[in-house]
Amino acid sequence: MSALRTARVPDSSAVFHEILAELARIEQRVSADPTFDERTRAEGRTWAFSLLRVALDTQVWAHPHRPRFTDIVWPYAKWGGDNADAYFCFTPLDPERTYLVTGQRADAAYMSLTLYGGPDDGRYAERIVATANDRTMRFGLDGSFELILSPEEPPEDSTANWLRLEPDVVCAITRDYLVDPETGRRAAWTIECLDAPSAPPKETDADLARRLTAALTWLREQSTLVLPLVEENDVAEPYPVPTETFGWAAGDAAYAMGSFSLEPGEALLIEGRSPECAFWNMCLWNPFLHTYDYAWERVTINGGQVEYEPDGSWRIVVAANDPGMPNWVSTAGHTRGRIWFRWFLPDRTPERPITKVIKR
């Protein structure tokens, strides 16, 4: 008998305990890293549970025949390069089905729905299949919209927006960015599978084990995805809107990465100019690629919040305490961290920001 036939499929209990063991391994790595201070280790422990929660929501609970747009990033789920201005929602998709997405733009400065293709076993997506954004979609006078997701093009008389579902499509992610996330109305998204089976699936323990295994895979991958620190107190040359990208990244944005490392009494002055774009912001991240706690202080800033110079340029100050200058972004008690810029739908690749350490 072949090895394939004799291989034992893990049961859901075994995978359940492996997920618990993986959480323990993540915590051990966080605790053992000599470069982390007490604050960073605490952030790493809560980050592990954020990853687990999103893994369960996206890999275990979600079903492509009864889809829902589920929040995957919010103030208490920080991972994967989050920021204070955006809402992200996830739904799984079956590439052989037809979906109707409806919603309302509300106050979003930038919004999009992106289709991702690749494996459906918990590994990160391999490619962006297609994107619809507020520049390409048609809206009603009230900001409402309809978007069809299907393998075949809708009839010619259809007025809905449309994206083709390629055979490898596994999920969609929505993004909506607000200039004022405290008072602005987030975009509304709903989804319905128009040709879903009428009967619920008859799932076995093997089905649950497969979904839990996908969650375990996702947890493992996310816990090891980190960006290297670039030269301290600098921002690298921005790279343009990509023709190809990896994972659940956006396909409409140019990015720039940097880092800070400040002694007591120091601040990092960042000077630059942003091209015409739908939205841009700058965030401070810890080593786990999540923002500091913006419930208490400003640790990110966007183009609608920045106070500009008379010539349209801007100056952002990264410091532990208020330096008495406009556009202060707090390090929230961290002495080292990552800096991340993003520009959505820029009319050109942004210029490289200039940095300088100053005394306060």
Side-chain angles (χ1 to χ4, degrees):
M1 184 176 293
S2 69
L4 178 63
R5 291 184 179 181
T6 58
R8 181 177 179 272
V9 177
D11 59 37
S12 61
S13 176
V15 187
F16 177 94
H17 287 283
E18 185 58 29
I19 289 174
L20 297 181
E22 185 63 26
L23 282 174
R25 284 190 285 268
I26 294 171
E27 197 281 331
Q28 289 165 4
R29 292 200 303 270
V30 168
S31 295
D33 194 310
T35 67
F36 294 165
D37 58 18
E38 183 179 352
R39 180 188 295 265
T40 302
R41 292 191 182 100
E43 290 172 342
R45 295 177 184 115
T46 56
W47 164 72
F49 285 110
S50 288
L51 293 181
L52 175 62
R53 180 170 182 173
V54 177
L56 296 177
D57 282 347
T58 61
Q59 309 299 324
V60 177
W61 292 113
H63 198 289
H65 297 163
R66 288 293 186 270
R68 294 182 178 89
F69 283 118
T70 301
D71 285 323
I72 54 174
V73 173
W74 64 96
Y76 303 117
K78 294 174 177 286
W79 65 279
D82 70 290
N83 64 95
D85 306 314
Y87 296 92
F88 300 80
C89 293
F90 168 96
T91 187
L93 297 173
D94 180 340
E96 297 181 355
R97 303 290 175 175
T98 296
Y99 299 89
L100 173 63
V101 177
T102 58
Q104 169 64 240
R105 180 173 181 173
D107 296 327
Y110 165 85
M111 60 174 286
S112 67
L113 180 145
T114 305
L115 302 177
Y116 295 91
D120 63 352
D121 58 1
R123 287 177 290 168
Y124 236 165
E126 293 178 341
R127 70 185 185 103
I128 288 179
V129 174
T131 298
N133 61 50
D134 54 83
R135 302 284 180 91
T136 63
M137 293 172 62
R138 296 182 300 275
F139 294 86
L141 295 177
D142 61 352
S144 62
F145 63 89
E146 290 187 347
L147 173 62
I148 297 291
L149 311 176
S150 62
E152 302 296 334
E153 189 170 359
E156 291 185 1
D157 59 353
S158 173
T159 60
N161 302 280
W162 175 64
L163 290 179
R164 184 186 298 278
L165 295 182
E166 300 291 347
D168 66 335
V169 163
V170 294
C171 69
I173 291 178
T174 66
R175 292 173 170 83
D176 37 289
Y177 280 76
L178 299 174
V179 170
D180 189 345
E182 291 294 324
T183 61
R185 298 169 301 150
R186 64 182 292 185
W189 299 87
T190 62
I191 184 170
E192 177 186 3
C193 184
L194 299 181
D195 52 0
S198 57
K202 296 181 179 179
E203 296 195 330
T204 65
D205 185 77
D207 295 320
L208 176 57
R210 179 189 60 79
R211 298 199 306 275
L212 289 174
T213 299
L216 174 61
T217 299
W218 196 91
L219 182 63
R220 283 173 172 163
E221 285 205 353
Q222 292 301 318
S223 67
T224 57
L225 280 178
V226 296
L227 293 176
L229 280 173
V230 298
E231 184 176 350
E232 292 179 344
N233 297 320
D234 198 7
V235 176
E237 190 75 37
Y239 57 89
V241 176
T243 56
E244 296 182 7
T245 190
F246 172 73
W248 290 350
D252 292 333
Y255 298 100
M257 178 174 60
S259 67
F260 69 89
S261 180
L262 300 171
E263 298 294 332
E266 291 183 339
L268 182 65
L269 176 64
I270 308 174
E271 299 177 287
R273 184 184 300 271
S274 292
E276 288 294 322
C277 58
F279 181 91
W280 71 273
N281 69 9
M282 188 211 78
C283 308
L284 300 184
W285 292 343
N286 64 18
F288 314 112
L289 310 188
H290 77 59
T291 53
Y292 308 142
D293 190 353
Y294 48 80
W296 298 96
E297 50 195 330
R298 185 163 70 185
V299 297
T300 77
I301 191 168
N302 68 50
Q305 298 166 340
V306 160
E307 184 177 324
Y308 291 87
E309 299 296 309
D311 64 354
S313 63
W314 43 259
R315 306 172 82 207
I316 296 172
V317 183
V318 177
N321 303 109
D322 187 349
M325 302 169 64
N327 307 324
W328 169 45
V329 178
S330 174
T331 61
H334 297 77
T335 59
R336 302 176 71 237
R338 289 173 171 81
I339 301 168
W340 190 258
F341 282 89
R342 55 167 65 80
W343 294 267
F344 279 101
L345 301 174
D347 64 2
R348 66 185 186 279
T349 300
E351 302 171 7
R352 183 177 183 177
I354 299 171
T355 59
K356 179 171 63 175
V357 175
I358 60 176
K359 296 292 184 179
R360 295 185 285 107

